[in-house]
Amino acid sequence: AGNLTPTLVNFSNTTNNYVLNSSTGNTLAGYTKVIKSGAGALTFGGTANNTYVGGTVLSQGSLRFDNLGGAGTGTLTVGDANTGAGNLSVMITSRPAAGNYLTAPIVVAAGTTGTVTLGTTAGVTGTGALGYNGITLNRDVTFLTDGADRTEYSGITGTGNVTFAGSTRATVGNVAANTF
């Protein structure tokens, strides 16, 4: 038990899905970098925010957030040289006990050919906005809004087309101006 401060944590899961739970006094901290590869999913869960600053790279598969502070405060990079034609998704999968916005800024990297999806899933219940603040686009992205109330996308910069999909409301620019 205790906060962990490794230099690198690599989740390479093709068939299994993993859950990384954090709790008070038991988080990823320091200059840790997290890399997610393989077609499976990594869910950030638990009750305490991770505080690592080394960033998170989604190279393949999907990231799911039950805890919006799960990815620490470093940049969450969606796509890298190993992504190729693979599809990538970053989804909020449940309403957390605290916080309405993912704490990590997101950079959607260029150079990949698969789809990139950011959004909420039907498992998100309750009322009030949840979402993303601080998104830099370097390619096209789909915003999928299936949460119970609405999903907010704010602070969008860069270049790329945005496609909206899903069954519930999407709002843009309520937290920070969009300039894409």
Side-chain angles (χ1 to χ4, degrees):
N3 292 331
L4 300 175
T5 58
T7 304
L8 177 66
V9 178
N10 187 0
F11 291 91
S12 180
N13 53 318
T14 300
T15 56
N16 295 319
N17 295 324
Y18 295 123
V19 176
L20 180 62
N21 279 321
S22 58
S23 61
T24 302
N26 297 291
T27 65
L28 283 179
Y31 292 98
T32 301
K33 180 176 187 174
V34 173
I35 297 174
K36 165 59 188 81
S37 61
L42 171 62
T43 299
F44 288 93
T47 57
N49 290 350
N50 288 311
T51 59
Y52 67 94
V53 298
T56 303
V57 176
L58 175 59
S59 179
Q60 298 167 330
S62 64
L63 295 177
R64 300 175 183 168
F65 289 91
D66 291 342
N67 175 352
L68 297 180
T73 58
T75 300
L76 192 166
T77 302
V78 181
D80 68 2
N82 297 315
T83 301
N87 298 329
L88 303 171
S89 69
V90 177
M91 303 300 288
I92 298 171
T93 52
S94 68
R95 183 169 296 278
N100 290 341
Y101 297 91
L102 194 69
T103 58
I106 297 175
V107 172
V108 179
T112 62
T113 58
T115 62
V116 173
T117 304
L118 305 177
T120 55
T121 66
V124 178
T125 59
T127 59
L130 287 176
Y132 305 87
N133 183 26
I135 304 168
T136 302
L137 299 179
N138 293 296
R139 59 156 298 166
D140 296 349
V141 65
T142 298
F143 291 155
L144 177 64
T145 304
D146 279 333
D149 191 357
R150 63 190 176 276
T151 305
E152 168 70 19
Y153 306 93
S154 281
I156 304 169
T157 62
T159 57
N161 294 311
V162 173
T163 301
F164 289 92
S167 60
T168 58
R169 296 183 294 168
T171 56
V172 294
N174 287 332
V175 175
N178 296 318
T179 59
F180 69 105

